[in-house]
Amino acid sequence: MSITLAQVAGPAYTRIYSFGAARGENAVPNEDLIGPIDSSDEWIRQRTGIITRARANKDTDAIDLATEAAAEAIEKSGVPADQVDLVIVATISNPKQTPSVSAIVADRVGANPAAAYDINAACAGYAYAIAQADALIKAGAARYALVIGTEKLSDVVDPTDRSISFLLGDGAGAALIGPSDTPGIAPAVWGSDGSKADAVGMNGTLTQFRDGEVPWPTLRQEGQTVFRWAVWEMAKVAREALDKAGVEPTDIAAFIPHQANMRIIDEFAKQLKLPESTVIARDIETTGNTSAASIPLASHRLMAEHPELSGGLALQIGFGAGLVFAAQVVVLP
């Protein structure tokens, strides 16, 4: 006699219920960073659009930031913490190789025994995690998912490096995702180009550091390579995400790209031919580049400043180290 395994299926659609955020406790202006890189406030503003960046205290880590953002997202969603059965954390700055940030945060916010795992897709991590949460809920593997991007990048900064050190900040953003009666998250366009992995990433390994072969590994980038790739290739990905969602640029109420560089953001908007009515996230100006945390942090601020965007469509796109990327259209909570 044959046995048929039982199967499960979830809801047809999902949506974002709420956002939460936490930023590093300290606002660090350009003037505090220009000495070691022999630069100026004007140079940094012109090249990046950054005036200050958020950086955390020494005793605050990526787990602390994630917990604060997650707690806010849960509270605002109206979903009891013990009903959250999936926690996905996107980060490149877990202070330990293991255990995962996600398992610790799930416990801290009262979501035990939720399934929990971390992903490393750098600045695309949050968008990757949104795509996974959407798919897992639709598959019936979870009902409510907490998606968090969290980074303490000030731990991996070389203050003398002119390529990236002045860009980076610390923070965490979270989104609570659950079932919906109507589509709230469109299919993702995601991928990678590992052939250019050396364009941005760590400049050494922990084993090399252990063996005294390199100093403490820090983030570095080939600025022009990354800029050209982001501006030209990622605009194509953003347009493909619009096509997959079945919408036009004129339908987009908000554009929330990874907060890498203000010039990249401006060029994106120009290439996508977004209408003047589209609100563009520019959180980088006072938060800095927070890698996996940048899209949810920018989303949180955008909703606080523009509550009229609730129910509107947002195009979000993440891209970064390893030349990993992901984009999707979502309905704002």
Side-chain angles (χ1 to χ4, degrees):
M1 131 179 174
S2 64
I3 299 174
T4 301
L5 294 176
Q7 300 290 291
V8 296
Y13 311 118
T14 69
R15 65 181 175 89
I16 297 173
Y17 287 27
S18 60
F19 292 115
R23 288 176 170 80
E25 300 92 338
N26 308 298
V28 180
N30 293 335
E31 287 85 352
D32 287 4
L33 306 178
I34 58 178
I37 60 172
D38 189 24
S39 186
S40 67
D41 171 61
E42 181 183 14
W43 184 83
I44 294 175
R45 290 192 191 211
Q46 288 180 348
R47 291 181 65 85
T48 69
I50 297 174
I51 299 172
T52 63
R53 72 280 296 135
R55 289 192 174 171
N57 292 334
K58 183 179 180 180
D59 58 354
T60 299
D61 61 24
I63 301 170
D64 299 322
L65 294 165
T67 301
E68 182 180 342
E72 181 187 357
I74 292 172
E75 181 181 2
K76 288 167 65 176
S77 72
V79 175
D82 62 2
Q83 290 188 26
V84 175
D85 49 5
L86 173 63
V87 178
I88 308 174
V89 171
T91 186
I92 62 168
S93 51
N94 184 350
K96 297 180 179 180
Q97 292 289 292
T98 191
S100 68
V101 174
S102 54
I104 296 171
V105 172
D107 177 60
R108 287 187 181 181
V109 299
N112 267 341
Y117 63 94
D118 293 358
I119 64 172
N120 180 345
C123 308
Y126 171 79
Y128 260 61
I130 291 289
Q132 292 177 40
D134 170 56
L136 289 167
I137 292 171
K138 288 176 181 175
R143 183 164 179 80
Y144 296 108
L146 188 59
V147 168
I148 308 165
T150 185
E151 304 289 8
K152 189 183 180 187
L153 299 178
S154 57
D155 283 345
V156 290
V157 165
D158 175 356
T160 68
D161 172 44
R162 286 176 62 91
S163 75
I164 200 170
S165 63
F166 55 89
L167 288 168
L168 304 178
D170 303 333
L176 198 291
I177 299 170
S180 175
D181 293 332
T182 56
I185 299 174
V189 176
W190 55 354
S192 65
D193 182 2
S195 69
K196 297 184 180 68
D198 291 339
V200 55
M202 304 300 287
N203 65 344
T205 68
L206 291 178
T207 50
Q208 288 174 317
F209 174 70
R210 177 199 64 194
D211 296 339
E213 297 171 4
V214 298
W216 175 248
T218 55
L219 276 172
R220 303 294 172 106
Q221 71 171 347
E222 297 173 9
Q224 286 305 310
T225 300
V226 174
F227 185 89
R228 287 192 296 268
W229 173 75
V231 166
W232 301 110
E233 298 303 319
M234 292 305 96
K236 298 174 187 175
V237 171
R239 283 192 288 267
E240 188 178 345
L242 292 173
D243 290 342
K244 269 202 170 185
V247 300
E248 300 293 331
T250 52
D251 298 318
I252 298 300
F255 178 44
I256 312 175
H258 165 50
Q259 302 291 292
N261 181 304
M262 197 75 81
R263 291 190 299 158
I264 292 175
I265 294 170
D266 291 340
E267 187 61 33
F268 263 159
K270 186 187 303 181
Q271 289 199 40
L272 292 172
K273 295 181 171 59
L274 296 173
E276 290 186 7
S277 59
T278 301
V279 180
I280 300 174
R282 302 182 187 279
D283 190 50
I284 189 172
E285 188 175 55
T286 54
T287 301
N289 178 341
T290 53
S291 189
S294 80
I295 294 176
L297 279 173
S299 300
H300 180 275
R301 173 162 283 168
L302 213 62
M303 293 305 298
E305 295 177 350
H306 299 276
E308 72 277 7
L309 291 174
S310 179
L313 298 180
L315 170 62
Q316 60 185 32
I317 178 168
F319 50 91
L323 300 201
V324 175
F325 58 86
Q328 65 259 108
V329 175
V330 301
V331 176
L332 293 169

